[in-house]
Amino acid sequence: MMRQTLSALLLAALLATPAWAQTKKELAAKVVSLQQTDYEGIGRALAAQTAQRVMSAVGQALGQLPADKREAVGRELQADIQKFHDGIAPQLAERAARLAPAVVQPALEEKFSEDELKAIITFLESSASRKFFNVIGGLQPAIADKVVTDTKPSIEPKLKTLEQSLQAKLKAAASGPAPSPAKPAASGAKK
């Protein structure tokens, strides 16, 4: 009776186990595919960091402008920086997602066993999942470096163009007449 119960439990466990890829390489590829949105997030974070650096530099320059010009020029420059960010964020997200597997998959294959990769795929709370998040967290700078290197030729000219445009607007605002603010709607009787 005990032997039959044990056999039944073993059979049930085997039937309940999902169909796993057979090789360590396939298991690592599956883990990588489950993390794609995280890699895209690295690209979006790079875009945000770049825009923030530009915004910081602009903020310092805006402080040099006459007070009556700061707000209008600041809004205009902020719109330019947002447009720049919106233009590069999808490109960086796509590139990070495309380049990350080449960085992550070999590390997973090297640092994890097949059983650990299976545990990660099923998101079990185990020592394997803690190890996985530590390894992946450590790989984010490598992914970011790879994305920067890969996208620099296409992003750098856009950044230079933005910087030149912002400098020209700041220079014009510092030396030219104050921009005319939008006229408020009429409120009240004429005098």
Side-chain angles (χ1 to χ4, degrees), residues 27-152:
L27 290 169
K30 173 75 173 170
V31 172
V32 168
S33 73
L34 293 171
Q35 298 296 311
Q36 281 302 109
T37 56
D38 291 341
Y39 308 136
E40 292 168 359
I42 293 169
R44 286 189 295 275
L46 285 169
Q49 290 169 0
T50 303
Q52 186 58 45
R53 282 196 321 264
V54 172
M55 189 60 120
S56 293
V58 165
Q60 293 172 357
L62 280 173
Q64 306 296 321
L65 291 178
D68 63 330
K69 296 181 180 182
R70 275 187 212 134
E71 187 177 337
V73 172
R75 280 193 307 269
E76 184 178 354
L77 298 180
Q78 187 173 14
D80 289 347
I81 293 167
Q82 184 65 46
K83 182 178 176 184
F84 169 75
H85 171 269
D86 293 347
I88 67 168
Q91 178 184 4
L92 292 172
E94 179 276 327
R95 199 65 57 92
R98 189 170 54 81
L99 295 172
V103 175
V104 177
Q105 187 169 335
L108 294 176
E109 290 174 34
E110 176 187 333
K111 301 201 182 280
F112 293 95
S113 70
E114 287 182 22
D115 287 341
E116 287 173 324
L117 290 170
K118 289 175 184 178
I120 291 164
I121 291 168
T122 59
F123 299 104
L124 296 174
E125 292 183 8
S126 67
S127 61
S129 64
R130 286 189 295 278
K131 183 177 175 183
F132 170 74
F133 289 116
N134 288 336
V135 169
I136 293 299
L139 292 173
Q140 288 182 357
I143 296 167
D145 288 345
K146 197 160 186 72
V147 171
V148 168
T149 300
D150 192 66
T151 60
K152 192 172 186 174

